[in-house]
Amino acid sequence: MHYFRIIDEELYAEDIRVSELVEEFGSPLYIYSRRTVEEHWLKWEQALADLDHRVCFAVKANSNLAVINTLAGLGSGFDVVSAGELFRVKKAGGDSSLCTFAGVGKTAEEIEQAISDGIYSFNVESVAELELISSVATGKGVRAPVSVRVNPNVDAETHGKITTGTYENKFGIAFEEVAALYERASRMPGIWLRGVQIHIGSQITAVRPFEDAVRKMLPLVTELKARHGIEFFDIGGGVGIVYQSAMASGTSEWWLGEDKPLTPASYAGALVPLLRGLGLKIIVEPGRFIVGNAGILAAKVLYVKKTGKKRFVVVDAAMNDLIRPAFYDSYHEIMSVGKKAGQELLPTDVVGPICESGDFFCKNRPLPPFESGDCLALMSAGAYGFTMSSNYNSRPRAAEVMVSGKTVKLVRRRESFDDLIRGESFD
Ligand SMILES: *Cc1c(COP(=O)(O)O)cnc(C)c1O
């Protein structure tokens, strides 16, 4: 469910026409629906209501201050992967005591900062990291709260670049070594063993991999609670979203996207019965699920170019704005923003202006006959969209706006040429 819908052949973000937004703020333009963000977060809250739980939004999916602030207002925790993300959470009014800090390469400075900020827990990925955290904490005269990220060695059945829970990946501590590592960590002077964590991958569309991982973990978690008094089990993020909906096939139903293969409710239906008996706080770290379908990237058609048999639609957005198709071969629905109904669909490649063959948004897809000056929308671009954007080809980054009902706020202004060279110098 999301609040981008077609009314009378025009695409709306909540109650505002996307074409009006592009007119006012220019293109390419990231557009977020505040109501969608809130509802998706609340779905998690409701699904886990029977457990002592916390929903920690994975900030790397969308770290705009307005998104963080929206979720902070609901009482969300946050999963951060750098001191930079922790800085954003604090700036946006988030509570650092509700933050988990993940990642295989935390620096001493980041550890120091996170301890000073009083985060809830470090999710630790190696013995060397445990030792460093212990020594930084000891230097500050405290014990740092940690959980070890366990690699349960289950196949998440997702794209190779976003699977994290098998021994082929760099993440976590091998399942078989975890109990011994907790023994060792329990003797480190600066370590407080507060929990245990898993995160098996991203864009997972079936509940079974999650269920397999949790079932495998249960005896270990029980043992860690008994021996070390841990208080939480963090089961990570990774619930996938629908990228391909009926919307683009020309139907003008209002909002669509309800054919979700996996929802917080079905996820909880399978997992809550397994987790209830543990007597631990259960943490989830959804990123994509909360923001993925809450954002779109609007772009304008610059040129239509026909070479041989192919039809290329060149738009003003590019892989520097949204890298997912190039990076993950991912699918984004492409919609017309204005009236195109009843016209024959033509096999089309939608491409950006960047000097790379990888700079495309779709290939040979039947799309309306876009012409120069038309506006289109790349749907489901709210997660890993702007956060993965860059200035490649010296392209200023897009503006971001957040819509709430009939109101809109510019939540990041479009970058200028001066922004491009900020901090640079010569001679
Ligand atoms: C990326 C990440 C998440 C969020 O993943 P989604 O697929 O966006 O839900 C959660 N936890 C950790 C540790 C991550 O690295």
Side-chain angles (χ1 to χ4, degrees):
M1 167 86 89
H2 58 73
Y3 293 96
F4 295 97
R5 47 187 157 154
I6 298 163
I7 301 169
D8 194 18
E9 295 174 43
E10 299 252 18
L11 183 64
Y12 279 72
E14 299 200 10
D15 300 328
I16 305 183
R17 277 209 307 270
V18 169
S19 57
E20 279 175 39
L21 294 170
V22 170
E23 211 156 285
E24 182 174 354
F25 298 100
S27 67
L29 181 68
Y30 272 99
I31 301 168
Y32 306 127
S33 154
R34 179 178 172 124
R35 185 168 170 196
T36 309
V37 171
E38 290 177 334
E39 283 193 9
H40 285 175
W41 189 89
L42 288 168
K43 279 185 185 179
W44 281 101
E45 197 58 24
Q46 285 152 13
L48 300 174
D50 283 354
L51 297 173
D52 176 13
H53 70 277
R54 178 174 300 148
V55 181
C56 289
F57 171 63
V59 173
K60 74 178 188 286
N62 189 320
S63 58
N64 185 284
L65 295 186
V67 171
I68 297 174
N69 176 261
T70 297
L71 294 170
L74 298 174
S76 185
F78 297 94
D79 173 51
V80 301
V81 293
S82 70
E85 286 189 352
L86 188 53
F87 170 78
R88 283 180 172 277
V89 169
K90 287 184 291 176
K91 282 283 178 197
D95 182 345
S96 45
S97 75
L98 304 181
C99 284
T100 55
F101 190 158
V104 295
K106 302 174 194 80
T107 65
E109 292 76 20
E110 288 182 310
I111 291 166
E112 160 98 43
Q113 182 66 50
I115 293 174
S116 300
D117 288 345
I119 64 160
Y120 182 70
S121 182
F122 289 97
N123 288 335
V124 173
E125 305 239 8
S126 65
V127 182
E129 185 192 336
L130 265 179
E131 282 165 350
L132 180 58
I133 292 174
S134 181
S135 87
V136 174
T138 311
K140 295 172 82 74
V142 297
R143 281 177 179 264
V146 308
S147 60
V148 168
R149 176 168 176 174
V150 179
N151 185 331
N153 198 24
V154 298
D155 183 1
E157 296 163 26
T158 183
H159 188 282
K161 281 188 184 152
I162 48 176
T163 190
T164 57
T166 78
Y167 291 166
E168 293 296 310
N169 310 120
K170 68 181 176 185
F171 298 103
I173 300 283
F175 182 83
E176 295 76 13
E177 296 163 17
V178 172
L181 181 62
Y182 272 74
E183 287 304 324
R184 192 165 158 192
S186 70
R187 293 190 293 272
M188 294 182 187
I191 295 294
W192 166 20
L193 289 168
R194 195 171 196 181
V196 62
Q197 195 253 7
I198 55 173
H199 172 70
I200 59 173
S202 195
Q203 185 52 21
I204 299 169
T205 52
V207 78
R208 199 169 49 83
F210 294 108
E211 213 179 319
D212 290 349
V214 166
R215 275 188 200 282
K216 184 163 178 187
M217 287 290 292
L218 286 176
L220 176 64
V221 175
T222 306
E223 181 193 332
L224 296 176
K225 184 187 177 204
R227 291 190 69 86
H228 303 288
I230 62 168
E231 64 186 55
F232 74 89
F233 178 22
D234 180 339
I235 56 177
V239 169
I241 63 167
V242 172
Y243 280 99
Q244 211 161 343
S245 75
M247 235 175 155
S249 57
T251 60
S252 51
E253 306 287 346
W254 62 336
W255 65 74
L256 290 147
E258 287 192 277
D259 52 334
K260 230 167 239 126
L262 186 53
T263 62
S266 56
Y267 173 95
L271 298 185
V272 169
L274 300 175
L275 296 166
R276 197 183 273 125
L278 287 173
L280 294 173
K281 181 188 285 295
I282 302 300
I283 295 179
V284 290
E285 303 169 341
R288 188 189 312 268
F289 186 88
I290 289 174
V291 289
N293 278 323
I296 65 173
L297 175 60
K300 265 204 162 137
V301 176
L302 298 173
Y303 303 103
V304 176
K305 174 174 170 179
K306 291 166 194 150
T307 59
K309 282 189 179 162
K310 282 186 79 86
R311 176 182 169 85
F312 291 97
V313 167
V314 185
V315 296
D316 62 2
M319 64 188 288
N320 74 298
D321 300 300
L322 178 65
I323 203 174
R324 299 188 66 259
F327 197 34
Y328 305 115
D329 308 309
S330 56
Y331 183 100
H332 286 270
E333 210 74 274
I334 295 176
M335 313 269 310
S336 174
V337 159
K339 293 189 195 295
K340 284 282 172 194
Q343 302 191 44
E344 194 192 345
L345 303 183
L346 306 171
T348 306
D349 286 20
V350 175
V351 303
I354 284 182
C355 312
E356 300 273 350
S357 312
D359 185 26
F360 65 89
F361 294 118
C362 73
K363 287 191 168 162
N364 287 320
R365 194 182 299 175
L367 290 176
F370 290 116
E371 300 295 345
S372 173
D374 283 348
C375 190
L376 54 78
L378 296 149
M379 306 303 288
S380 312
Y384 308 103
F386 189 91
T387 51
M388 294 180 104
S389 68
S390 75
N391 290 123
Y392 188 41
N393 276 213
S394 286
R395 290 168 49 86
R397 260 175 285 221
E400 295 171 286
V401 297
M402 184 180 272
V403 171
S404 179
K406 288 189 169 62
T407 64
V408 58
K409 272 202 190 114
L410 179 65
V411 294
R412 193 183 206 271
R413 65 166 171 75
R414 187 173 303 285
E415 284 183 346
S416 64
F417 289 149
D418 281 336
D419 290 329
L420 285 181
I421 57 169
R422 180 147 301 138
E424 290 182 40
S425 57
F426 53 91
D427 78 28

